[in-house]
Structure formats: structure tokens, C-alpha cells
Amino acid sequence: MEHFTIATVAEKSPDFRRVLWTGEHTQLVIMTIPPGGEIGEEVHEGIDQILTFVSGTGEARVAGEKKEVAQGDLVVVPAGTKHNFVNTGPNPLVLYTVYGPPEHADQAVHHTKEEADAAEAAGEDEPPTS
């Protein structure tokens, strides 16, 4: 059994992205977006994503719509939908997200967005294949 006190685990991680668990069909990832930072506009073809916000404030930009997000909010991003999440507050925007199927390399840790982007560009952040 995997068990996480997810809000506490997410709050303690300073990393932009940290993969906590990867299964055959889903993946659990925690993220910390610094003030003024963002995930970056993207589309996941064939991958649904559910994001739950633990602390901070931000703006969800999904399919051309914008909505403020804060602690306790959850946003669903269906596969193939353009999206971005931007930290609009003075503190880190902390969240956890579930991808189905997995999107990132198992146990990947990216300390910054730049590091995450470089790993993706180099093909070092590929999800496991079954």
C-alpha cells in the first residue's frame, strides 16, 4: 500500500515537479510553482489530468477559459486540451496532480521548470511503457 498525507508531502517539496507514484494506468505528481512562475502552456494528447491545489493562489487557463484557483480547488483537464497554470500570488502555488495514463518518468524530480523543460527536450522524462 502507498499512503501519503498529500498536502503535507506537497507543502514540504520545494521542487517544481516530483513524481511520487507511478502505476500502470495513473501517476501521482506534486508540483511547486514559484511566485510569477507557471507550468507552461501545453497539451497532453491521450492523457487526462486532475489537479488539486494545496496552497497559494493562481490562475487556471484551460481551453481558452480563465479561473482563479486557491487551496482546496480541483481542476480537470481532459486529454487533448490546451492548458496552463500560473502563480499569481506572493507565495508558492503548491498542488498535486494525477495523470492517466502516466506522463513523466517514474520517480522523476525536477528542481526547476527549466530543468523539467530540458529533461523533456532531451527525452529523459518519458513515462514507463508497459
Side-chain angles (χ1 to χ4, degrees):
M1 171 185 357
E2 295 288 335
H3 175 270
F4 301 98
T5 306
I6 194 65
T8 303
V9 172
E11 280 283 334
K12 288 183 179 178
S13 176
D15 300 313
F16 175 74
R17 180 186 300 132
R18 177 178 292 269
V19 175
L20 289 183
W21 179 83
T22 301
E24 186 177 344
H25 303 287
T26 57
Q27 184 173 63
L28 175 62
V29 176
I30 55 177
M31 297 186 75
T32 300
I33 304 167
E38 62 182 76
I39 289 175
E41 189 172 84
E42 59 188 359
V43 175
H44 303 297
E45 296 297 341
I47 298 172
D48 292 321
Q49 186 176 8
I50 300 170
L51 303 93
T52 303
F53 296 86
V54 173
S55 63
T57 56
E59 183 177 78
R61 300 174 183 173
V62 180
E65 293 183 50
K66 295 180 181 180
K67 186 143 187 100
E68 290 183 19
V69 292
Q71 180 180 1
D73 287 344
L74 181 145
V75 176
V76 175
V77 180
T81 304
K82 187 183 294 186
H83 61 281
N84 191 8
F85 295 87
V86 179
N87 183 340
T88 59
N91 300 311
L93 180 60
V94 179
L95 63 105
Y96 62 93
T97 183
V98 176
Y99 294 97
E103 167 69 2
H104 299 287
D106 189 26
Q107 299 182 6
V109 176
H110 301 120
H111 302 295
T112 64
K113 180 176 181 347
E114 293 75 24
E115 186 178 308
D117 289 346
E120 288 177 20
E124 298 169 355
D125 189 31
E126 295 299 316
T129 56
S130 36

